[in-house]
Amino acid sequence: MKNASNRLNLSVQYVCNREGLPLRTDFVRWARAALVGGGEVTIRLVDADEGQTLNNEYRGKDYATNVLSFPYDTEPVVTGDLVICPSVVAREAAEQNKPLAAHYAHLTVHGMLHLQGWDHDNDDDADAMENEEKEILAALGYPDPYAA
């Protein structure tokens, strides 16, 4: 049995109608791969209107974005919310010629790292975070999301 400090309690809220969304089991696998220790995390899949409202309110950017991270705590376990906008994810995957599941996996891993304190505010931090993402995604069987 897993130690409670290594347990991941993950809630997935599907609040938009979009076919082809990953299953909760997919999100659990991706989130667990990126998590050190335990966590209490909610992933909320939203329509573009809600994504735009949240991005504007919390980041001052008036457009829907792919993933927003809302970290609350890291001790004794990681607690936070990820908000993912499937319409943006699907558009980006098509534009970047990436498999949709690989893009969802990347954004879930990216968001989970943010919940644990990773950021990409400068070049060194961005390089470190990208390298961590590549390692996690490779272990999950996905290609380098930053490859041209």
Side-chain angles (χ1 to χ4, degrees):
M1 182 171 148
K2 278 190 172 181
N3 181 322
S5 65
N6 286 330
R7 183 179 180 145
L8 171 61
N9 290 323
L10 182 73
S11 172
V12 180
Q13 300 174 350
Y14 295 89
V15 292
C16 61
N17 275 333
R18 185 146 187 102
E19 289 187 34
L21 293 178
L23 301 174
R24 181 185 177 280
T25 54
D26 297 318
F27 285 112
V28 168
R29 187 167 68 94
W30 302 330
R32 176 79 259 165
L35 182 63
V36 176
E40 297 272 347
V41 176
T42 298
I43 295 177
R44 182 174 173 88
L45 294 121
V46 302
D47 63 21
D49 288 342
E50 184 173 343
Q52 180 173 350
T53 297
L54 290 168
N55 199 26
N56 192 22
E57 184 175 336
Y58 290 97
R59 296 180 62 230
K61 299 180 185 229
D62 195 21
Y63 56 87
T65 191
N66 51 24
V67 63
L68 292 167
S69 302
F70 297 94
Y72 304 123
D73 210 344
T74 56
E75 293 295 332
V77 297
V78 171
T79 55
D81 298 333
L82 298 180
V83 176
I84 297 175
C85 186
S87 61
V88 174
V89 176
R91 185 190 76 236
E92 289 176 346
E95 288 170 357
Q96 298 168 21
N97 206 19
K98 294 179 179 176
L100 189 55
H103 199 40
Y104 271 108
H106 177 217
L107 294 173
T108 302
V109 166
H110 183 85
M112 289 298 295
L113 291 178
H114 275 308
L115 294 184
Q116 296 169 88
W118 291 76
D119 67 49
H120 42 79
D121 293 338
N122 62 55
D123 289 344
D124 288 343
D125 289 346
D127 288 344
M129 188 169 178
E130 286 179 14
N131 287 333
E132 185 71 8
E133 290 169 10
K134 290 179 208 179
E135 259 184 51
I136 293 165
L137 290 164
L140 288 166
Y142 293 105
D144 177 352
Y146 298 102

